[in-house]
Amino acid sequence: MHLCHLTTLLPVSERQDYWREVIGSTYFDMELRFTERQGFYGQLWNWNVAPFGISFLSSSPTQYQRLQQHINPHDDNHFLITIPERQEVHFSQDRRSVRCRPGSFILERSDKPYEFEYQSDNSLWVLRVPDSLLRARLRLPERYLFSEFDRSQGLGAVFFDLFRSITQQVAYLDERQAEAMLRQLIELFALTVEGDQRAIASEDSGLRQVHLQRVEQYVRERIREPGLNPEQVAAACGISTRYLHKLFQGEELSVSQWIREIRLQGSVADIRRSGTGRTLAEIAYKWGFSDQAHFCRSFKKRFGMTPKEARQPGG
């Protein structure tokens, strides 16, 4: 669904309150501060392709504050991929910050307080991605916060080209086609940031990062094996099971939960993708579920519907 919000037809005195409502309904609750008290303008286009959201906004200088009071632990969390077009933006969280210039993009998380601002009239693209979906592809997305990624060359340019192509054609795609394309876009985003050694080095020690990459690669290569478990992963990667669990310590998902999340996210993408020609049993087996009943129970617990319901239009 495509929505467009404009402030230009409103009285000047009503524009800022209207913009607060637009931002809250498009992203999540935030506090807004405006540099220009008079003459504020804002325009926002929003494409909602569940479970993703794409938006393009232009506005006068604005500061957006996500405060602790805005964060509900029961709400779904999201990451935002932000791509400024005209002026640089500034993002700060947990006493760390990053500036992102036009020609680059950054990753932000919504489940902690933050500040985001631009001090001149600006335009920017924002891709909202469910926390669980990104974590299924990037086990520790936090490694890639506070880094500016180049979209002018290499994989960054390919990522942005695909993103712009999707935004230009999303009106001509049905919901399943659009979702499938956006899942491919997240795969490309992951490849882009994983290849940025500067971002990797900023968050993890070299040895720990080597182990993480080896674990992630091994799991993805063996994800179809029903018996894949932490002991097998640790042995194959030359580390102890205890150390493997330590690598995952403090994160939302344990090793086993992460493996299950990859399988469920992969299976729901295959089920919703039109034209696969695979039965539900074949899809379950492809993603490492040897027990059909267990697959259906896990799927329904995770997504609130059965695999059969997910395959139906509107599922």
Side-chain angles (χ1 to χ4, degrees):
M1 182 173 62
H2 174 213
L3 296 174
C4 180
H5 305 277
L6 303 171
T7 63
T8 51
L9 300 179
L10 294 173
V12 172
S13 60
E14 298 178 11
R15 292 181 182 181
Q16 294 180 5
D17 286 340
Y18 176 71
W19 192 244
R20 289 187 178 93
E21 294 176 3
V22 168
I23 293 299
S25 63
T26 302
Y27 306 108
F28 27 70
D29 290 339
M30 286 185 278
E31 183 73 26
L32 273 61
R33 295 182 178 178
F34 304 96
T35 302
E36 297 181 7
R37 296 296 178 183
Q38 300 296 327
F40 175 84
Y41 84 93
Q43 303 179 51
L44 188 146
W45 291 261
N46 181 42
W47 297 263
N48 189 20
V49 183
F52 303 91
I54 302 173
S55 56
F56 181 78
L57 68 87
S58 297
S59 85
S60 303
T62 308
Q63 181 187 71
Y64 303 84
Q65 290 184 310
R66 178 87 160 144
L67 304 176
Q68 187 63 51
Q69 66 202 50
H70 297 139
I71 299 172
N72 186 335
H74 303 294
D75 287 345
D76 293 334
N77 296 322
H78 295 85
F79 282 90
L80 303 178
I81 301 171
T82 301
I83 311 169
E85 290 284 281
R86 296 167 58 187
Q87 303 290 337
E88 75 172 22
V89 299
H90 181 250
F91 173 75
S92 60
Q93 187 175 59
D94 284 342
R95 292 179 291 183
R96 300 184 64 187
S97 62
V98 61
R99 293 186 180 277
C100 183
R101 297 157 294 183
S104 303
F105 59 91
I106 57 174
L107 179 68
E108 308 160 32
R109 63 185 297 180
S110 71
D111 62 340
K112 289 186 176 183
Y114 70 77
E115 290 187 3
F116 178 87
E117 66 177 337
Y118 39 91
Q119 298 179 353
S120 303
D121 292 359
N122 208 352
S123 299
L124 52 141
W125 289 96
V126 180
L127 174 62
R128 192 184 73 244
V129 184
D131 179 287
S132 58
L133 193 153
L134 187 59
R135 289 186 187 279
R137 179 54 186 85
L138 284 173
R139 195 191 67 81
L140 283 174
E142 294 81 5
R143 285 176 284 175
Y144 308 100
L145 301 173
F146 312 111
S147 293
E148 183 185 37
F149 299 97
D150 186 4
R151 65 171 172 92
S152 65
Q153 59 185 357
L155 279 175
V158 178
F159 162 75
F160 184 67
D161 286 347
L162 177 57
F163 175 74
R164 291 294 288 121
S165 295
I166 293 173
T167 63
Q168 292 166 1
Q169 301 302 324
V170 68
Y172 305 100
L173 304 175
D174 63 35
E175 188 171 325
R176 290 171 183 261
Q177 292 170 335
E179 181 190 350
M181 291 299 299
L182 286 168
R183 287 179 178 269
Q184 291 299 314
L185 183 67
I186 296 307
E187 175 67 24
L188 188 52
F189 170 80
L191 291 173
T192 301
V193 301
E194 284 175 334
D196 191 299
Q197 295 302 313
R198 170 182 50 84
I200 291 171
S202 69
E203 187 67 17
D204 292 280
S205 68
L207 182 59
R208 182 170 184 268
Q209 181 58 32
V210 168
H211 287 313
L212 282 170
Q213 289 182 326
R214 189 177 297 161
V215 167
E216 292 176 9
Q217 181 179 356
Y218 181 83
V219 168
R220 294 186 188 285
E221 289 175 351
R222 304 297 197 285
I223 197 65
R224 299 187 183 192
E225 298 179 8
L228 185 66
N229 57 44
E231 291 73 23
Q232 177 185 339
V233 174
C237 295
I239 58 177
S240 68
T241 304
R242 181 179 179 182
Y243 182 68
L244 174 63
H245 287 298
K246 186 177 180 180
L247 289 176
F248 282 69
Q249 196 171 16
E251 299 304 317
E252 294 186 3
L253 301 178
S254 66
V255 184
S256 298
Q257 289 170 337
W258 178 62
I259 292 173
R260 184 171 64 249
E261 184 68 15
I262 293 175
R263 287 173 166 162
L264 289 171
Q265 291 289 350
S267 63
V268 74
D270 275 358
I271 288 171
R272 288 173 169 167
R273 189 179 298 122
S274 59
T276 60
R278 288 192 177 102
T279 66
L280 294 176
E282 289 171 335
I283 291 174
Y285 181 76
K286 171 187 173 182
W287 290 101
F289 292 96
S290 58
D291 184 328
Q292 187 75 5
H294 174 65
F295 168 63
C296 291
R297 287 195 302 270
S298 299
F299 192 98
K300 185 171 184 178
K301 182 178 180 180
R302 177 63 183 83
F303 300 111
M305 65 181 77
T306 65
K308 184 177 181 180
E309 291 169 339
R311 170 160 275 180
Q312 297 170 354

